[in-house]
Amino acid sequence: MIKACIFDLDGVIVDTAKYHYIAWKDLAHEMNFDFTEKDNERLKGVSRMASLDILLEIGHINKTPQEKERLAAKKNENYRSYILKMTPDEILPGAAAFLKECRDNKIATALGSASKNAMTILSRLQLTQLFDVIIDGTKTSKAKPDPEVFLKGAEALGISPTNCVVFEDAEAGIEAALAAGMKCVGIGNPKTLNKANFVIDGLHQMNIQHLYNL
Ligand code: B16
Ligand code: MG
């Protein structure tokens, strides 16, 4: 029986990947190489430092740990200049309505995101109040596909993982949800997200009856 929904942020509630892309691309250009939208796909659901490692690998560049800290901070400052301008209009279709439907039907809600900027983003989107629990990159030490982020979400809600459903757009996130012993609804392409129990285009295709039927 489903008692809780745990939502990834980027790609499920909002498309922040486009801002991550601009900020990583700017950093790549400063180091004199290009970074394509296809490259950006590799960063979805991946932590900031692991993303930087992928970027540097694409540019065939080596940096010291101190340099990497500086570059990650620079990228984040640029990224934050975009997310600080976000408005509730950027909430992906159906996300706010489904979160409210969960509330109305006593289904608990949690955020399970790798982002250390999740609180800022939820606040800009005016969605913070619709989450009972928020687990983000500031509260976890192991990146997806490790199940830590989702297990912490279930624990904080006081609900068994077997009664939780995760909504995820990244393969690593789906693996994390399944490793946590939870059901997982993939958001995106059924071919790439084939490990999910079920795949939809977005939360606009979700409602409480579909949830109970999972
Ligand atoms: P930050 P999610 C992830 O969010 C993004 O998909 C990924 O591209 C990003 O690198 C990561 O958050 C860390 O974000 O730099 O803000 O800490 O999909 O887990 O909600
Ligand atoms: Mg995501």
Side-chain angles (χ1 to χ4, degrees):
M1 188 193 172
I2 304 303
K3 295 184 182 169
C5 289
I6 307 184
F7 300 87
D8 174 51
L9 181 60
D10 176 29
V12 172
I13 303 290
V14 69
D15 176 21
T16 41
K18 62 186 177 201
Y19 302 128
H20 282 295
Y21 177 54
I22 299 170
W24 286 125
K25 196 177 167 74
D26 282 354
L27 199 68
H29 285 179
E30 280 173 36
M31 292 185 281
N32 298 313
F33 67 94
D34 198 20
F35 178 69
T36 66
E37 274 190 71
K38 192 167 170 246
D39 294 329
N40 195 54
E41 288 300 307
R42 291 176 63 190
L43 309 190
K44 290 190 175 172
V46 174
S47 73
R48 193 180 311 162
M49 268 308 181
S51 297
L52 177 61
D53 284 335
I54 295 172
L55 188 88
L56 294 174
E57 178 201 304
I58 291 167
H60 306 287
I61 288 173
N62 278 314
K63 292 284 179 191
T64 63
Q66 291 90 330
E67 267 293 293
K68 286 210 261 182
E69 287 293 342
R70 191 188 65 78
L71 289 169
K74 192 171 186 187
K75 179 266 170 179
N76 192 51
E77 201 181 315
N78 191 2
Y79 172 68
R80 283 185 64 84
S81 73
Y82 291 98
I83 60 170
L84 286 170
K85 287 183 247 160
M86 290 180 88
T87 68
D89 290 348
E90 293 182 59
I91 299 170
L92 287 172
F98 184 58
L99 279 160
K100 285 184 193 132
E101 209 183 349
C102 287
R103 267 284 151 84
D104 293 345
N105 289 277
K106 311 265 184 296
I107 298 286
T109 56
L111 187 85
S113 166
S115 176
K116 291 184 175 161
N117 292 298
M119 294 301 283
T120 306
I121 296 165
L122 289 183
S123 156
R124 290 296 312 166
L125 300 178
Q126 296 172 19
L127 283 181
T128 314
Q129 305 309 322
L130 289 177
F131 290 93
D132 298 314
V133 156
I134 294 171
I135 308 292
D136 62 15
T138 65
K139 294 181 181 146
T140 51
S141 55
K142 295 179 208 139
K144 301 168 190 175
D146 190 283
E148 183 191 26
V149 63
F150 298 133
L151 289 174
K152 281 199 169 173
E155 192 186 358
L157 290 171
I159 292 175
S160 161
T162 52
N163 298 123
C164 297
V165 179
V166 170
F167 293 86
E168 253 293 347
D169 71 314
E171 269 180 274
I174 290 169
E175 285 171 28
L178 299 178
M182 300 177 181
K183 286 207 170 67
C184 186
V185 175
I187 306 252
N189 186 338
K191 278 189 189 144
T192 42
L193 305 181
N194 55 13
K195 287 186 189 147
N197 300 104
F198 193 69
V199 181
I200 54 177
D201 286 339
L203 289 174
H204 57 285
Q205 292 181 339
M206 200 65 209
N207 61 41
I208 213 74
Q209 203 50 52
H210 286 152
L211 190 73
Y212 292 144
N213 291 341
L214 280 173

